[in-house]
Amino acid sequence: AQSVTQPDARVTVSEGASLQLRCKYSSSVTPYLFWYVQYPRQGLQLLLKYYSGDPVVQGVNGFEAEFSKSNSSFHLRKASVHWSDSAVYFCAVSIGQVVGQLTFGSGTRLQVYA
Amino acid sequence: NSKVIQTPRYLVKGQGQKAKMRCIPEKGHPVVFWYQQNKNNEFKFLINFQNQEVLQQIDMTEKRFSAECPSNSPCSLEIQSSEAGDSALYLCASSPGHSSAETLYFGSGTRLTVL
């Protein structure tokens, strides 16, 4: 069975700073990898996804993520955060034989202060 | 922005009461998912449908949970006899297909509180 670990429950950064949110996965096969964001009182929105190709994938709102097979990681990055990026970020994986069923990490709450 | 519509936004029930929530998937999306998100941000997959047919579901041996996606009507998730442990955010999502590469489009959820 697959699993996802987000080791940082909370991250606090100042506006304009760079950001990295960590995600490590465990799976017997290379999974599909996703980052979702959840703003207060809202559902989840997709930031980006990856399965193959260039290990650096671009997403919405200036986010990107880098896949590392050797490290079983899929870290999310942003060069310069804005206060509106404050939210909870979830890394998730999906494997081929399970029809669209996602396994989520426990989330990282990002607080951006001015 | 997602066009998955979930109602009601908030639902408060006493223990033992029925709790029913609805979901209108994004137009053209034949696959619908229900997830439960608890206060610790742990997600539990409950069930998914393709059109009106169940694709997969967790072992609902408690039989307290039931779900359906009738044609031309909203999908629904119902808890027959609510328990305190059912208090959570229930998320409905839809997708254009059922492959593992598909993006899930989530609604804003129904927050159930069982007193």
Side-chain angles (χ1 to χ4, degrees), chain A residues 38-43, chain B residues 9-10 108 111:
Chain A
Q38 187 173 35
Y39 297 102
R41 294 175 296 282
Q42 294 188 29
Chain B
R9 194 71 181 266
Y10 300 95
S108 297
R111 184 166 297 282

Side-chain angles (χ1 to χ4, degrees), chain A residues 32 34 36 38 41-46 49 88 90 94-102 104-106, chain B residues 1 9-10 33 35 37 40-41 43 45 48 55-56 89 91 98-108:
Chain A
Y32 294 92
F34 304 81
Y36 281 87
Q38 187 173 35
R41 294 175 296 282
Q42 294 188 29
L44 301 170
Q45 298 173 32
L46 180 73
K49 64 181 181 182
V88 182
F90 293 96
S94 176
I95 62 173
Q97 55 264 51
V98 181
V99 178
Q101 183 177 329
L102 294 170
F104 289 90
S106 54
Chain B
N1 286 332
R9 194 71 181 266
Y10 300 95
F33 301 79
Y35 283 87
Q37 181 184 9
N40 295 320
N41 282 335
F43 289 82
F45 166 81
N48 61 354
L55 289 176
Q56 294 165 306
L89 182 67
L91 292 167
H98 58 72
S99 88
S100 296
E102 295 288 356
T103 298
L104 269 59
Y105 296 83
F106 286 83
S108 297

Side-chain angles (χ1 to χ4, degrees), chain A residues 23 82-83:
Chain A
C23 171
H82 187 264
W83 64 267

Side-chain angles (χ1 to χ4, degrees), chain A residues 4-77:
Chain A
V4 180
T5 301
Q6 293 181 248
D8 305 308
R10 291 179 181 270
V11 170
T12 302
V13 296
S14 59
E15 195 168 29
S18 63
L19 171 71
Q20 177 172 278
L21 302 182
R22 297 184 290 165
C23 171
K24 297 205 73 171
Y25 67 90
S26 173
S27 174
S28 56
V29 299
T30 300
Y32 294 92
L33 295 153
F34 304 81
W35 274 99
Y36 281 87
V37 60
Q38 187 173 35
Y39 297 102
R41 294 175 296 282
Q42 294 188 29
L44 301 170
Q45 298 173 32
L46 180 73
L47 286 176
L48 45 82
K49 64 181 181 182
Y50 175 82
Y51 180 67
S52 64
D54 187 336
V56 178
V57 60
Q58 303 297 319
V60 298
N61 297 335
F63 285 94
E64 67 175 28
E66 183 166 7
F67 169 70
S68 171
K69 187 172 183 177
S70 60
N71 293 324
S72 297
S73 67
F74 189 55
H75 300 331
L76 182 71
R77 303 189 299 232

Side-chain angles (χ1 to χ4, degrees), chain B residues 7-32:
Chain B
T7 56
R9 194 71 181 266
Y10 300 95
L11 192 56
V12 180
K13 295 292 178 182
Q15 294 197 48
Q17 290 187 318
K18 281 187 186 180
K20 187 169 186 175
M21 54 204 83
R22 293 175 176 82
C23 170
I24 300 175
E26 194 157 331
K27 190 174 181 180
H29 286 189
V31 186
V32 174

